[in-house]
Amino acid sequence: MTGGPREAGQAHRPREAWLNGPAGRWVGAAVPRKEDRRMLLGRGRFTGDLTRAGMLHAAFARSPFPAAEVTGIDTSAALALPGVAAALTAADLGHPYLMAMLERDEFTPTRMPLLAGDQVRFAGEPVALVLAHDPYAAQDAAELVDVDWRPLQAIPGIDAAQGSGARQVHGGLSGNCLVDLTMFDDPKLTGILAAAPVVIDAVFRSARVAALPLEGRACLAEWDERDQQLVLHVSTQVPHQVRSGVAQALGLPEHGVRVIAPDVGGGFGLKCVVGREEIAVADAARRLRRPVSWIEDRQENLTASFHGHEQRYQVHAGFGRDGRILALAAEIDCDVGAYSAFPFTSAVEPLMACTELPGIYKIPAYRARGRAVATNKAPTAPYRGVSRPQLVLVMERLMEKAAAELGIDALDVRRRNMIGPGEFPYTGVNGISYDEGSYRESLDLAQRQVKETFLNGTPAGEAAALMAGVGYACFSERTAYGTPTMSQRRMAMTPGYDTALVRMDPSGEVIVTTGTCGHGQGHETTFAQIVADRLGVHPEQIRLRQGDTDLASYGWGTWGSRSIVIGGGAADRAAALVGNQLRQVAAHLLEASPDDIELAGGSARVRGDDRATLPVGELARIVHFQTHRLPAELRYGLEARASFDPPGTFSNACHAAMVTVDPGTGEIRLRRYLVVEDCGVVINPMIVDGQVTGGVAQGVGAALLERICYAEDGQPASTTLMDYLAPTAAELCPVQITHLETASEFSETGAKGMGEGGMIGAPAAVLNAINDALRPAGISFDHIPVLPAEVCAALAGGVAPVGEAGGLGGLGGRGGRGGLGGEKGAA
Ligand code: MCN
């Protein structure tokens, strides 16, 4: 069921009838974020704010080589420095490691040692941990750790890794392949492609990028002598997985470890995997019985944490003369760096890419081969969007290329291929079942809005000198991957479900405990909105407890746009159970039937009888303090626990961007941006708008600016924010957002997730806009980011000086390859 469009920021309208709720519900209201006051007044508590008496500070000695054998380590000079308490090597720790596992024959696991032992596999890999009384002494001492290196030939990228005779980053690998999967191998595909009237062959690439949270990785570990427990405060999205990682790496029982996430200054997927440094610090705290703090600096963050999105797609797509796609074959290579990240493994990008490449388009025949390629670079993590920014870019470029070849309007080519109204639920060639969405409506509306609002997009005066273009991206975002979906990946640790505990205290205030772990998404507000509606209380009466493994049932944290559907769904279920308890208590006291009791405005009342009312706080007081007034089955607390484990649900959106290109300087400027998005029932439109806008900013950065570069010898070249360009307000423009609301039947609240959508659509929309602007010059690009130097070189008919060193092997400013009638390669 699709509602009408609602402009961002408009007052909340009453919901459709399926919600069964009275008007004025909290769900759907733009409630100001409860957490903002704390943050704005400087009362947030981040890991870096934590301090303990007698605390030691950690620093890591790191490899200066991308690949080398370690033939000896001498820590004596470091230990001799005043203020240094310890210097630990892999041997001192007993060579602990993390190993992420996938139960697939095509997968080769890697051991990621907490500290490298006899070999290093990327520049920045830690080899020793130094502990000192202040962070400066620790850093100075780390530089005194004396290592005997025997450098090895580095594997700096996919081409080098796959070259014949290439050195293997890990023993036991072939072709440096950590995973090699062929999926949906339709035997008819080759024949269909051979007979197709139009075949588009193209190569698409996206650069390696950094998640760049404001707060890097950080932890404070301490040993609790009384409870004999290792307590790790850590900036993470996934406290329980960190606990499992610590327990597995250090051989401890899970209850011997408590992981607490304080406020987290951004994660973006970088913190949904488990870092080796944090476990090494925890081990040091356990061994020394001293609190130990480690705060990653920006250089470490850029070189030694986790990257993402470095992918190459080699694609053959057959189209009919009517613009309908007939077949799609893709070879997808992901440069995943030196190790598999725990617990997701290096397969997360290729698996996602192969499975979801068809996206919202109906493709009769499909084959995908996906490889995770090991290189001597920092490992990768599931950075926001996980392959979907890339695969959407591939499909949206293919639609444009086919349209150009066939002389059909590119939006019509999309319309002919996309899953249309009346076709839901749709099971794709990839076996995925798409629940109802508004693919067609969002494109139609975006096109209308572009006509209305982009018309005067180019500032007067500049117009003549600049080339202007508009680009679209249509896509869906699978969200809330539950166990039924995640189990298909065959991870040894299969995420999916989550559990919530809702407990009302004697004053009628409510504590909700969840295994999800918000870190900027406003969960304290949106979870409260959901629970408030169930219990008839104000969201201010509800407190969310998250990010503590001793408080919450095992949960899977916050990533994959899962929290509001899965965690919020569990909270909704648990709150409904507590609501039933309240109704029964009220019914007993008011001598009515529980079915006649409604909870609203902080009271329980008999429907239609305003005098028969009891405040919720009074009910809570009686349940806790006057148990004798109640029958046995209503005694002893108001609380309930519930879990939720859905198959997943698809939100969708259409993005449109307008850019101008300065042919003199190659500068690309974003002028207009609009999003028509559908994430089902919107719990809080203000928060959703913030998520969309932030995601778009990240996607625009990926399209225009961001790339982690490595030199040909494997040395990192993006080590500061002078070298790694992130978008600022100056590079962005306001984002106009419109919501459609197609409720999900797989969600307790009707909501679909949306936390990655902004990032997923923006690179494709911006790239299509750039190519639209450059169309008169016969130039197009199939990679991101598109840099001014490449634009200039392409316009001058030359080749821009960008090579594999940038992680962008072979791009050289070239545009689309052969078979692109109407779209000419740039070189
Ligand atoms: N929401 C809503 N109505 C909906 C859907 C969502 O009001 N129909 C709200 C939710 O209540 C929640 C927020 O929007 O407050 C995002 O919800 P959801 O889509 O469930 O995503 P998650 O909360 O699971 O967040 C994960 C997602 C991911 S995968 C990345 S990466 C990401 C992102 O969120 N990283 C972020 N947004 C981020 N925002 C900040 N500030 N920092 C990050 O690191």
Side-chain angles (χ1 to χ4, degrees):
M1 181 190 332
T2 302
R6 179 151 60 86
E7 291 295 329
Q10 254 185 15
H12 169 54
R13 293 187 327 194
R15 298 278 148 210
E16 279 75 16
W18 71 271
L19 278 169
N20 286 327
R25 288 161 53 93
W26 290 107
V27 164
V31 177
R33 296 189 350 153
K34 285 161 67 110
E35 40 276 87
D36 281 355
R37 187 172 172 77
R38 169 171 98 244
M39 298 298 177
L40 292 172
L41 294 178
R43 293 188 196 134
R45 193 174 54 205
F46 296 87
T47 306
D49 296 321
L50 305 179
T51 181
R52 297 285 185 275
M55 184 170 89
L56 294 172
H57 296 264
F60 288 90
R62 297 182 179 276
S63 170
F65 294 102
E69 283 175 5
V70 177
T71 54
I73 301 188
D74 181 357
T75 56
S76 53
L79 277 168
L81 205 73
V84 172
L88 302 167
T89 64
D92 295 326
L93 301 184
H95 296 280
Y97 60 87
L98 275 170
M99 192 159 82
M101 281 302 296
L102 209 61
E103 288 159 354
R104 284 178 181 268
D105 293 341
E106 310 95 326
F107 173 74
T108 307
T110 55
R111 286 184 176 194
M112 181 159 71
L114 302 190
L115 297 173
D118 54 5
Q119 195 173 145
V120 288
R121 294 184 173 84
F122 66 93
E125 182 157 10
V127 289
L129 167 60
V130 178
L131 305 164
H133 296 287
D134 70 67
Y136 309 103
Q139 194 59 54
D140 288 347
E143 284 167 24
L144 293 176
V145 173
D146 189 13
V147 184
D148 293 329
W149 309 100
R150 201 174 74 78
L152 300 169
Q153 186 211 358
I155 303 294
I158 293 172
D159 293 339
Q162 293 175 338
S164 69
R167 197 180 63 77
Q168 301 302 298
V169 172
H170 290 271
L173 285 184
S174 164
N176 277 310
C177 219
L178 294 174
V179 72
D180 185 351
L181 299 155
T182 299
M183 301 175 80
F184 319 109
D185 194 2
D186 190 329
K188 299 188 294 303
L189 185 126
T190 310
I192 298 173
L193 279 177
V198 172
V199 176
I200 309 286
D201 297 329
V203 180
F204 304 91
R205 293 174 193 257
S206 68
R208 176 171 274 251
V209 288
L212 218 64
L214 275 181
E215 178 197 34
R217 295 178 298 160
C219 67
L220 183 149
E222 55 192 335
W223 178 254
D224 185 325
E225 195 60 45
R226 178 185 174 276
D227 289 346
Q228 292 291 294
Q229 199 183 34
L230 180 56
V231 182
L232 180 62
H233 307 260
V234 58
S235 188
T236 182
Q237 302 169 225
V238 288
H240 279 97
Q241 281 88 295
V242 174
R243 187 182 79 182
S244 296
V246 173
Q248 288 175 28
L250 303 185
L252 300 172
E254 292 236 1
H255 70 65
V257 183
R258 178 179 184 184
V259 174
I260 301 171
D263 285 323
V264 174
F268 307 110
L270 161 68
K271 296 174 186 167
C272 78
V273 294
V274 181
R276 47 177 27 183
E277 285 90 342
E278 293 93 317
I279 305 183
V281 166
D283 198 17
R286 180 178 66 121
R287 286 165 185 272
L288 274 67
R289 299 292 199 257
R290 295 275 299 272
V292 181
S293 158
W294 173 63
I295 312 289
E296 179 180 68
D297 66 24
R298 188 55 65 190
Q299 186 175 346
E300 287 176 302
N301 180 256
L302 283 168
T303 57
S305 65
F306 300 92
H307 300 146
H309 290 190
E310 184 172 0
Q311 300 187 357
R312 179 181 70 193
Y313 290 67
Q314 300 176 84
V315 178
H316 309 280
F319 285 83
R321 297 235 167 266
D322 59 358
R324 288 209 160 76
I325 190 163
L326 304 172
L328 176 66
E331 294 241 341
I332 304 162
D333 290 305
C334 306
D335 181 337
V336 297
Y339 297 100
S340 251
F342 182 94
F344 285 93
T345 82
S346 56
V348 63
E349 284 199 0
L351 264 175
M352 177 75 95
C354 291
T355 312
E356 302 207 2
L357 178 60
I360 61 173
Y361 298 112
K362 296 176 286 186
I363 297 176
Y366 177 51
R367 178 178 62 222
R369 181 181 184 193
R371 283 178 290 200
V373 182
T375 57
N376 289 120
K377 295 178 182 169
T380 51
Y383 174 46
R384 198 174 195 175
V386 193
S387 296
R388 287 164 296 176
Q390 290 68 38
L391 64 89
V392 168
L393 182 147
V394 169
M395 294 309 295
E396 295 304 289
R397 290 295 304 133
L398 283 179
M399 294 296 141
E400 295 282 331
K401 287 172 186 288
E405 177 85 12
L406 291 159
I408 306 175
D409 178 82
L411 297 186
D412 284 340
V413 172
R414 287 176 173 85
R415 287 188 181 97
R416 288 174 200 186
N417 285 297
M418 68 176 43
I419 306 161
E423 294 181 315
F424 297 102
Y426 177 86
T427 301
V429 68
N430 48 4
I432 292 176
S433 181
Y434 296 78
D435 58 339
E436 190 172 350
S438 54
Y439 305 166
R440 181 68 179 267
E441 296 97 306
S442 54
L443 171 58
D444 292 348
L445 187 54
Q447 187 181 18
R448 255 200 333 270
Q449 292 186 349
V450 163
K451 284 192 185 133
E452 288 160 14
T453 62
F454 282 17
L455 278 180
N456 298 318
T458 310
E462 287 181 56
L466 301 177
M467 305 167 89
V470 175
Y472 288 84
C474 303
F475 66 94
S476 63
E477 174 191 2
R478 180 149 45 154
T479 69
Y481 295 78
T483 312
T485 308
M486 290 306 290
S487 58
Q488 291 164 16
R489 293 195 184 172
R490 299 189 228 154
M491 292 165 65
M493 286 171 65
T494 302
Y497 62 90
D498 242 290
T499 302
L501 172 68
V502 172
R503 178 187 293 154
M504 184 173 276
D505 69 21
S507 65
E509 309 285 300
V510 182
I511 288 183
V512 180
T513 310
T514 174
T516 55
C517 186
H519 48 280
Q521 294 88 348
H523 291 176
E524 291 171 42
T525 310
T526 46
F527 277 60
Q529 287 176 257
I530 292 171
V531 172
D533 276 345
R534 284 288 182 194
L535 302 181
V537 298
H538 194 284
E540 284 301 326
Q541 291 176 266
I542 294 163
R543 183 157 164 214
L544 187 68
R545 301 298 304 268
Q546 53 180 348
D548 187 336
T549 56
D550 266 15
L551 287 184
S553 306
Y554 203 98
W556 293 96
T558 286
W559 46 271
S561 305
R562 66 188 301 275
S563 303
I564 208 58
V565 175
I566 303 182
D572 188 52
R573 284 183 167 188
L577 294 172
V578 175
N580 279 341
Q581 293 170 8
L582 279 173
R583 258 189 291 274
Q584 287 176 35
V585 172
H588 173 79
L589 296 170
L590 294 168
E591 297 178 352
S593 159
D595 292 341
D596 291 336
I597 302 289
E598 62 182 15
L599 300 170
S603 294
R605 65 168 173 266
V606 179
R607 204 170 278 117
D609 181 357
D610 282 347
R611 286 163 310 161
T613 296
L614 278 172
V616 167
E618 175 65 3
L619 296 176
R621 193 186 65 79
I622 291 169
V623 170
H624 288 90
F625 297 156
Q626 297 188 336
T627 315
H628 54 276
R629 291 176 61 186
L630 300 172
E633 68 276 12
L634 297 182
R635 293 178 183 172
Y636 315 124
L638 285 166
E639 68 176 59
R641 181 186 300 275
S643 299
F644 190 46
D645 196 3
T649 172
F650 285 84
S651 55
N652 65 273
C654 179
H655 287 206
M658 182 190 183
V659 303
T660 53
V661 178
D662 184 330
T665 63
E667 185 197 25
I668 302 164
R669 280 190 63 186
L670 188 68
R671 300 288 183 174
R672 295 275 189 276
Y673 205 97
L674 69 81
V675 173
V676 178
E677 76 88 44
D678 186 342
C679 61
V681 171
V682 176
I683 307 295
N684 186 322
M686 188 175 62
I687 287 178
V688 169
D689 290 350
Q691 287 289 310
V692 171
T693 306
V696 167
Q698 274 180 307
V700 170
L704 298 179
L705 298 167
E706 296 186 46
R707 54 180 195 143
I708 289 281
C709 297
Y710 282 84
E712 275 173 24
D713 62 0
Q715 284 293 345
S718 310
T719 61
T720 72
L721 291 178
M722 292 294 283
D723 323 306
Y724 187 82
L725 301 183
T728 67
E731 282 83 37
L732 298 169
C733 68
V735 179
Q736 176 186 327
I737 303 167
T738 307
H739 301 288
L740 301 173
E741 297 188 56
T742 306
S744 171
E745 57 176 307
F746 299 117
S747 165
E748 294 292 285
T749 55
K752 303 172 174 187
M754 50 66 57
E756 292 154 285
M759 170 83 197
I760 292 172
V766 173
L767 185 62
N768 277 337
I770 295 169
N771 288 334
D772 188 42
L774 296 174
R775 200 184 309 269
I779 292 164
S780 69
F781 294 101
D782 284 330
H783 68 268
I784 50 170
V786 178
L787 305 176
E790 296 173 303
V791 174
C792 286
L795 285 169
V799 175
V802 181
E804 176 139 355
L808 304 171
L811 287 181
R814 288 167 201 274
R817 296 196 337 175
L820 314 180
E823 289 210 331
K824 196 174 84 191

